[in-house]
């Protein structure tokens, strides 16, 4: 079954299904449909849109020869050559199409499409599929192989929620406003943790589709509300804030939950084999059941062979080290930002890396002043070394987990499609 082109505003739209390129013709990364008349990814489509909206079509070539190309990850360092590529491929602002992303639904949806062909068949939210098993397929125009997806997640509601949060300035008391940016982030961490149950936390026995979605929604909100306590971050352009948050939010919620687990274990509020999964949920490694029906047809044993033992997945070595170090909220906020900004800048490069480097410099200076003002932290270099070593350990563990996920995806073990996969850069 071939992929069906989305309805177009152009009068030349044909009733014959149109095959869409598997690769973005601008950056050669996975395509998300036809944008402005060219098969492309959302990032390149957004770039082309910004070129016209801001009327900044004239950029100097970074290398001076107008021959720049994207790197192996599809990242362009030269705006001039990227915009020239868009124009050369035939991108035009009047080629705007509604419902551009490609989707082919299972037979369950064929009748609905026939009854109402004028409406978009792109799902609006994940709630539509909660409790249902949806199998979507598209055909790769290159290989001709069918790839099945059991579940589709439209992350647009989460992004809209994040966009709203990034426009709100948190209320800070006068005593907090005079503090450093790092101390304000520490205050923000305390604020987003106010909903945390510390005693008699209910056990979550099974993680399924609904629990996963709920965790994402709450996690994005908490990440956005926390980072907005950072004054220098608030001063960024809205688009820059969104790009950074979309890359770091999932990393933040994992690290924050790891640190919360360490704190509650140290307080004897949860057992050694338990992990604080949410503000009102804990899981037990021995009793946790993973509902696989919504993301894989593999057996439980096969799935666990790719993700590895649960203690490793939930970073037990980091938890143990945090229990021993007992970082303050200020130190923990620095640790979270250091890792999130470093990986985000490293992944996205260019202007975003310049921004994240600058933000890290601000926080490093604040931490230095914080240590000098606290006599009990006279072992400045020791504690800072331990914090940074934990971040290095997490990056090493992340790479090990990602290898298992990469292998699983290569073998088509995990069959989930995301509307915005870039939001899970560091999801392992």
């Amino acid at each position: 079954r071939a992929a069906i082109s989305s309805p177009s505003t152009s009068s030349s739209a044909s009733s014959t299904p149109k095959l869409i390129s598997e690769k973005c013709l601008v950056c050669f990364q996975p395509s998300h449909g036809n944008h402005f008349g060219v098969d492309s990814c959302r990032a390149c489509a957004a770039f082309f849109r910004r070129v016209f909206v801001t009327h900044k079509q004239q950029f100097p070539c970074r290398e001076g020869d107008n021959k720049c190309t994207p790197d192996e990850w599809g990242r362009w360092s030269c705006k001039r050559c990227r915009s020239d590529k868009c124009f050369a491929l035939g991108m035009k602002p009047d080629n705007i199409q509604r419902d551009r992303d490609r989707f082919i639904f299972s037979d369950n949806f064929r009748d609905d499409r026939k009854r109402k062909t004028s409406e978009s068949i792109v799902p609006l939210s994940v709630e539509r599929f909660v409790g249902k098993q949806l199998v979507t397929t598209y055909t790769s125009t290159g290989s001709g192989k069918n790839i099945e997806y059991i579940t589709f997640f439209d992350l647009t509601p989460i992004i809209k929620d994040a966009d709203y949060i990034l426009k709100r300035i948190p209320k800070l008391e006068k005593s907090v406003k005079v503090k450093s940016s790092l101390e304000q982030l520490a205050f923000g961490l305390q604020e987003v943790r106010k909903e945390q149950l510390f005693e008699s936390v209910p056990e979550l026995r099974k993680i399924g589709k609904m629990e996963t979605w709920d965790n994402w929604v709450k996690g994005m909100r908490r990440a956005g509300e926390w980072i907005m306590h950072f004054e220098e971050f608030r001063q960024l352009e809205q688009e820059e804030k969104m790009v950074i948050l979309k890359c770091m939010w999932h990393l933040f919620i994992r690290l924050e939950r790891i640190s919360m687990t360490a704190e509650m274990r140290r307080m004897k509020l949860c057992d050694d084999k338990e992990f604080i999964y949410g503000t009102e949920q804990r899981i037990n490694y021995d009793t946790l059941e993973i509902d696989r029906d919504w993301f894989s047809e593999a057996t439980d044993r096969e799935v666990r062979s790719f993700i590895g033992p649960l203690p490793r997945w939930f970073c037990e070595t980091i938890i143990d080290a945090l229990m021993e170090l007992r970082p303050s909220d200020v130190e923990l906020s620095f640790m979270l930002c250091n890792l999130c900004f470093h990986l985000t800048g490293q992944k996205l490069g260019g202007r975003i890396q310049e921004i994240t480097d600058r933000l890290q410099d601000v926080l490093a200076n604040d931490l230095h002043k914080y240590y000098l003002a606290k006599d009990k932290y006279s072992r400045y270099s020791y504690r800072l070394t331990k914090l940074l070593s934990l971040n290095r350990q997490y990056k090493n563990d992340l790479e090990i987990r990602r290898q298992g996920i990469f292998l699983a995806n290569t073998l088509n073990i995990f069959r989930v499609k995301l509307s915005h996969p870039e939001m899970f850069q560091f999801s392992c």
Side-chain angles (χ1 to χ4, degrees):
R1 291 176 288 182
I4 298 176
S5 61
S6 303
S8 171
T9 59
S10 171
S11 60
S12 62
S14 171
S15 60
T16 304
K18 177 184 176 183
L19 294 177
I20 297 177
S21 173
E22 188 181 20
K23 294 291 185 181
C24 169
L25 299 181
V26 180
C27 68
F28 311 115
Q29 296 302 296
S31 171
H32 296 119
N34 190 283
H35 304 261
F36 303 104
V38 173
D39 296 341
S40 56
C41 65
R42 294 186 187 90
C44 290
F47 169 80
F48 184 75
R49 186 183 301 112
R50 289 195 300 273
V51 167
F52 270 90
V53 171
T54 60
H55 302 286
K56 294 180 180 178
Q57 292 99 318
Q58 299 301 321
F59 303 106
C61 176
R62 189 157 184 165
E63 299 297 327
D65 58 3
N66 295 337
K67 295 182 180 180
C68 303
T69 58
D71 62 19
E72 59 183 308
W73 295 284
R75 296 179 300 198
W76 284 86
S77 61
C78 178
K79 292 182 179 180
R80 170 61 182 271
C81 292
R82 188 181 187 184
S83 59
D84 286 350
K85 179 76 170 179
C86 293
F87 286 117
L89 290 169
M91 277 192 171
K92 297 179 181 180
D94 56 346
N95 280 338
I96 298 175
Q97 296 174 306
R98 297 189 183 96
D99 307 319
R100 292 156 295 192
D101 293 348
R102 57 174 185 233
F103 294 98
I104 290 296
F105 290 83
S106 64
D107 293 336
N108 295 337
F109 289 88
R110 287 178 180 269
D111 294 337
D112 289 340
R113 191 179 70 235
K114 289 178 181 179
R115 285 196 300 268
K116 208 167 187 180
T117 56
S118 62
E119 288 191 0
S120 165
I121 61 173
V122 179
L124 297 178
S125 66
V126 74
E127 286 89 342
R128 180 175 178 180
F129 301 117
V130 171
K132 300 179 182 179
Q133 180 164 332
L134 171 69
V135 179
T136 66
T137 64
Y138 76 86
T139 302
S140 167
T141 58
S143 63
K145 296 180 180 179
N146 286 339
I147 304 176
E148 292 186 348
Y149 296 97
I150 299 174
T151 301
F152 169 81
F153 279 112
D154 183 0
L155 303 175
T156 305
I158 296 181
I159 295 176
K160 289 182 178 180
D161 198 19
D163 183 68
Y164 172 74
I165 291 172
L166 293 178
K167 293 176 181 176
R168 297 174 58 194
I169 299 177
K171 295 181 179 179
L172 299 176
E173 299 177 359
K174 290 183 179 180
S175 59
V176 177
K177 288 183 178 179
V178 299
K179 294 182 179 293
S180 69
S181 294
L182 182 56
E183 289 173 316
Q184 290 184 24
L185 273 170
F187 173 78
L189 187 61
Q190 296 169 5
E191 288 293 298
V192 299
R193 284 181 161 183
K194 282 186 174 180
E195 297 180 356
Q196 178 65 53
L197 292 180
F198 283 90
E199 296 184 359
S200 303
V201 182
E203 180 181 350
L204 180 64
R205 294 297 186 100
K206 185 176 183 178
I207 296 180
K209 179 166 53 178
M210 193 62 189
E211 291 78 15
T212 300
W213 174 257
D214 186 61
N215 181 259
W216 291 349
V217 171
K218 293 179 179 178
M220 174 61 91
R221 288 174 183 168
R222 296 171 75 242
E225 290 171 356
W226 170 70
I227 198 61
M228 281 298 287
H229 283 80
F230 189 179
E231 182 178 358
E232 284 77 6
F233 180 84
R234 291 199 302 268
Q235 295 171 355
L236 299 176
E237 296 293 332
Q238 181 72 6
E239 183 180 358
E240 294 169 339
K241 290 188 289 187
M242 179 60 76
V243 168
I244 293 174
L245 180 60
K246 284 170 66 176
C247 194
M248 63 168 275
W249 73 281
H250 205 256
L251 179 59
F252 164 78
I253 63 174
R254 279 186 61 89
L255 288 167
E256 190 275 327
R257 290 292 87 191
I258 289 170
S259 64
M260 178 55 70
T261 300
E263 181 176 342
M264 293 187 68
R265 284 190 190 178
R266 186 176 55 79
M267 298 168 64
K268 307 297 183 183
L269 296 176
C270 69
D271 297 335
D272 291 343
K273 291 186 177 182
E274 293 181 333
F275 184 87
I276 306 302
Y277 182 75
T279 56
E280 301 176 352
Q281 300 162 321
R282 62 183 170 87
I283 60 173
N284 186 294
Y285 299 149
D286 292 337
T287 60
L288 178 65
E289 179 184 352
I290 300 176
D291 178 13
R292 309 179 312 279
D293 293 342
W294 63 277
F295 70 86
S296 180
E297 295 176 351
T299 65
D300 182 72
R301 182 176 180 179
E302 290 171 336
V303 169
R304 290 177 184 262
S305 69
F306 288 104
I307 67 175
L310 289 181
R312 188 179 74 187
W313 182 262
F314 289 104
C315 303
E316 279 295 311
T317 56
I318 307 295
I319 293 174
D320 291 341
L322 286 171
M323 289 177 64
E324 179 183 351
L325 184 62
R326 299 178 63 172
S328 66
D329 288 335
V330 170
E331 290 177 308
L332 184 57
S333 295
F334 175 81
M335 177 182 169
L336 290 169
C337 281
N338 177 266
L339 186 58
C340 289
F341 288 152
H342 173 72
L343 290 179
T344 297
Q346 188 179 61
K347 181 70 176 180
L348 301 181
R351 168 67 176 161
I352 297 300
Q353 187 166 24
E354 293 175 4
I355 292 173
T356 55
D357 286 347
R358 187 175 74 248
L359 296 178
Q360 289 183 81
D361 289 341
V362 171
L363 298 179
N365 290 333
D366 286 348
L367 183 66
H368 174 72
K369 295 175 183 178
Y370 170 78
Y371 277 135
L372 293 181
K374 302 289 183 180
D375 292 339
K376 61 179 180 179
Y377 291 134
S378 58
R379 299 170 67 191
Y380 177 168
S381 60
Y382 169 78
R383 294 190 66 82
L384 180 57
T385 300
K386 291 291 289 185
L387 289 173
L388 296 179
S389 68
L390 286 177
N391 281 355
R392 287 193 296 271
Q393 179 64 48
Y394 185 88
K395 286 189 286 186
N396 292 336
D397 293 346
L398 173 66
E399 191 57 36
I400 293 174
R401 294 192 299 272
R402 292 179 74 173
Q403 289 174 6
I405 297 301
F406 175 79
L407 180 59
N409 288 332
T410 301
L411 299 175
N412 200 25
I413 299 297
F414 299 144
R415 300 181 178 183
V416 175
K417 186 174 181 64
L418 303 170
S419 63
H420 299 77
E422 71 274 10
M423 290 178 59
F424 292 86
Q425 306 268 9
F426 309 110
S427 60
C428 300

